[in-house]
């Protein structure tokens, strides 16, 4: 026990020290980010609920989508371990100590009204370890039970474990395929942003603000701004461009998720606009791709979850999902006037090149005549 506790403490120091040092350098104050997440989202109930609440079952669905059958095994790890210990000492008590952080973290996060997928990230490695513990117990139990009926009990045990991995790999493949096919449009669109020809372009986000990956995806001289949408919470704000940009506190930010009007600009100031068309619109979220003044220069299909069946959209099942999912369209829109200006500029340059070529040809003919 002492050895396990010491190892855990050393691991904590090695993990948390670089985190604190980097945050200290950037924020100029001692910050323990994982602790802040727990304090704000678990103990500050009024604060965390401002960002939405989810039912108790949220993490069960989320865990199954990310780990499928391995998540089910992980939840049963502690009971399986305790039962197995009654019949065998193959697993040491240190395994129990390694499993406990997962259950403690689950107890904290499952009880919090505000739930997000990222809140389970810290225990993802333990979920894999917990599933492995259950598989080990199944393997040993199968060998013992089937040993009465089969001469080759090792082969029988391997057959059980192989069945699990076949199911796990199959569900993982169709889930990964679903994520790419149904939700990959933003990444396909943003990856070509460096080809934007205008200097200092203004790229606008409305209802699609939450799918913007990072400013690293846009040219350095481009600016990402927000326009009004039906979302009424607080939107991200830009870092100051000065040397103290990472730790200067923006006076317009708040911890109550109140809408901050200063982050918005007029749609008239936008050169580009990212928008998702699902066939519905409102006064603040029109279908921009159907409006005059905008031209879609790139688009990709994006899942319309409201019109798709649950299983079909969760897993890309061959033959089934294609018939039971519906798509919207993810657009990169550009001001039509900019396109016309570029076409006029292109025509002007072509005309200039043609005139230069004709002039060179005349000079060449003149030189020949002189000879």
């Amino acid at each position: 026990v002492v050895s396990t506790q010491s190892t855990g403490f050393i691991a904590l120091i090695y993990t948390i020290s670089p985190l604190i040092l980097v945050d200290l350098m950037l924020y100029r104050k001692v910050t323990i980010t994982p602790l802040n997440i727990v304090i704000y989202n678990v103990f500050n109930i009024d604060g965390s609920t401002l960002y939405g609440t989810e039912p108790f079952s949220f993490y069960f669905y989320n865990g199954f989508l990310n780990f499928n059958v391995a998540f089910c095994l992980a939840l049963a790890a502690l009971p399986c371990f305790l039962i197995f210990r009654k019949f065998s000492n193959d697993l040491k008590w240190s395994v129990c100590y390694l499993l406990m952080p997962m259950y403690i973290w689950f107890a904290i996060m499952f009880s919090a009204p505000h739930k997000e997928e990222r809140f389970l990230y810290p225990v993802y490695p333990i979920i894999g370890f917990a599933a492995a513990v259950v598989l080990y117990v199944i393997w040993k139990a199968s060998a013992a039970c089937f040993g009465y009926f089969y001469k080759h009990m090792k082969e029988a045990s391997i057959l059980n474990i192989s069945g699990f991995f076949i199911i796990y790999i199959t569900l993982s493949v169709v889930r990964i395929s679903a994520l790419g096919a149904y939700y990959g449009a933003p990444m396909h669109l943003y990856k070509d942003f460096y080809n934007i020809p205008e200097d200092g372009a203004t790229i606008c986000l409305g209802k699609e603000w939450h799918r913007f990956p990072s400013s690293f995806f846009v040219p350095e001289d481009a600016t990402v701004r927000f326009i009004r949408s039906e979302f009424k919470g607080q939107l991200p704000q830009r870092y100051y461009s000065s040397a103290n940009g990472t730790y200067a506190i923006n006076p317009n930010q708040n911890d109550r998720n109140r809408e901050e009007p200063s982050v918005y600009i007029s749609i008239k100031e936008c050169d580009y606009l990212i928008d998702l068309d699902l066939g519905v619109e409102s006064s603040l979220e029109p279908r921009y791709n159907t409006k005059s003044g905008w031209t879609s220069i790139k688009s990709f299909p994006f899942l319309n979850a409201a019109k798709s069946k649950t299983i079909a959209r969760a897993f890309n099942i061959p033959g089934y999902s294609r018939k039971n999912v519906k798509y919207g369209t993810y657009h990169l829109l550009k001001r039509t006037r900019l396109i016309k200006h570029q076409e006029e500029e292109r025509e002007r340059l072509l005309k200039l090149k043609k005139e230069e070529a004709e002039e060179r040809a005349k000079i060449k003919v003149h030189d020949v005549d002189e000879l």
Side-chain angles (χ1 to χ4, degrees):
V1 176
V2 174
S3 177
T4 302
Q5 292 175 343
S6 300
T7 303
F9 180 75
I10 293 172
L12 175 65
I13 296 299
Y14 272 106
T15 304
I16 208 73
S17 296
L19 185 66
I20 294 175
L21 290 174
V22 171
D23 286 345
L24 178 62
M25 179 179 66
L26 296 177
Y27 299 141
R28 299 300 172 90
K29 63 179 182 179
V30 177
T31 303
I32 305 177
T33 304
L35 181 62
N36 287 348
I37 292 176
V38 174
I39 291 175
Y40 188 84
N41 291 283
V42 178
F43 298 104
N44 183 17
I45 301 300
D46 293 336
S48 65
T49 55
L50 294 171
Y51 298 88
T53 60
E54 298 290 343
F56 185 78
S57 59
F58 174 82
Y59 285 131
F60 288 107
Y61 289 117
N62 188 265
F64 184 78
L65 286 175
N66 288 327
F67 288 92
N68 57 74
V69 291
F71 186 73
C72 301
L73 295 183
L75 293 176
L78 186 58
C80 286
F81 169 79
L82 295 175
I83 294 173
F84 184 74
R85 279 287 302 185
K86 290 185 176 181
F87 302 97
S88 174
N89 292 324
D90 283 0
L91 291 176
K92 299 180 179 180
W93 280 107
S94 59
V95 172
C96 180
Y97 304 136
L98 294 174
L99 292 174
M100 288 309 298
M102 181 186 72
Y103 289 99
I104 294 172
W105 193 260
F106 281 173
I108 294 173
M109 293 303 169
F110 276 58
S111 62
H114 177 63
K115 298 177 177 65
E116 295 184 33
E117 177 182 356
R118 63 190 177 98
F119 291 167
L120 292 190
Y121 287 177
V123 294
Y124 270 14
I126 310 180
I127 291 174
F129 171 72
V133 169
V134 176
L135 284 177
Y136 181 81
V137 171
I138 293 174
W139 176 59
K140 284 292 186 178
S142 299
C145 294
F146 287 103
Y148 292 105
F149 306 100
Y150 297 97
K151 293 182 179 179
H152 304 289
M153 56 182 180
K154 183 179 292 185
E155 286 78 356
S157 302
I158 293 175
L159 183 63
N160 285 340
I161 303 302
S162 300
F164 162 82
F165 277 107
I166 290 172
I167 297 172
Y168 175 77
I169 292 172
T170 301
L171 290 177
S172 297
V173 168
V174 293
R175 175 59 181 169
I176 293 170
S177 175
L179 291 175
Y182 303 155
Y183 304 102
M187 297 309 297
H188 290 304
L189 188 148
Y190 282 114
K191 71 180 182 180
D192 292 330
F193 254 47
Y194 267 95
N195 295 326
I196 291 177
E198 293 83 12
D199 294 329
T202 300
I203 303 165
C204 291
L205 301 167
K207 65 176 182 286
E208 287 304 299
W209 66 270
H210 59 292
R211 293 193 178 97
F212 177 67
S214 167
S215 293
F216 290 114
F217 282 78
V218 301
E220 291 185 7
D221 58 350
T223 304
V224 178
R225 301 300 299 272
F226 299 112
I227 59 174
R228 289 188 179 274
S229 67
E230 298 294 345
F231 178 74
K232 299 303 178 185
Q234 182 174 213
L235 289 169
Q237 297 200 31
R238 296 172 60 85
Y239 284 106
Y240 290 119
S241 57
S242 57
N244 65 341
T246 59
Y247 59 89
I249 299 176
N250 192 318
N252 294 325
Q253 287 185 302
N254 63 84
D255 62 354
R256 304 302 298 173
N257 198 27
R258 290 191 298 266
E259 184 178 24
E260 175 50 54
S262 66
V263 303
Y264 299 118
I265 65 170
S266 170
I267 185 68
K268 297 178 181 179
E269 300 178 52
C270 302
D271 299 319
Y272 292 86
L273 176 64
I274 310 298
D275 193 48
L276 173 62
D277 181 15
L278 295 176
V280 295
E281 60 182 336
S282 66
S283 59
L284 290 178
E285 296 179 357
R287 298 175 64 194
Y288 289 103
N289 57 294
T290 65
K291 306 299 180 183
S292 61
W294 291 102
T295 300
S296 178
I297 60 173
K298 188 172 293 188
S299 63
F300 297 94
F302 190 91
L303 182 78
N304 188 333
K307 294 183 178 180
S308 303
K309 292 187 178 181
T310 303
I311 298 298
R313 72 172 189 255
F315 302 98
N316 189 8
I317 304 171
Y320 173 76
S321 293
R322 181 176 297 181
K323 299 177 182 178
N324 293 283
V325 296
K326 303 295 181 182
Y327 291 93
T329 308
Y330 211 84
H331 290 281
L332 171 58
L333 303 170
K334 186 176 182 178
R335 283 285 183 190
T336 304
R337 58 177 171 78
L338 291 178
I339 296 176
K340 291 181 178 179
H341 175 72
Q342 285 180 352
E343 291 175 350
E344 292 173 355
E345 184 66 16
R346 189 181 299 109
E347 290 177 0
R348 187 186 69 81
L349 292 174
L350 289 174
K351 184 178 179 181
L352 183 61
K353 289 181 179 180
K354 183 178 179 181
E355 291 175 352
E356 290 176 351
E358 290 176 351
E359 187 66 27
R360 285 195 298 269
K362 289 179 181 179
I363 294 174
K364 186 175 183 180
V365 170
H366 177 72
D367 292 340
V368 170
D369 291 341
E370 288 184 349
L371 292 174

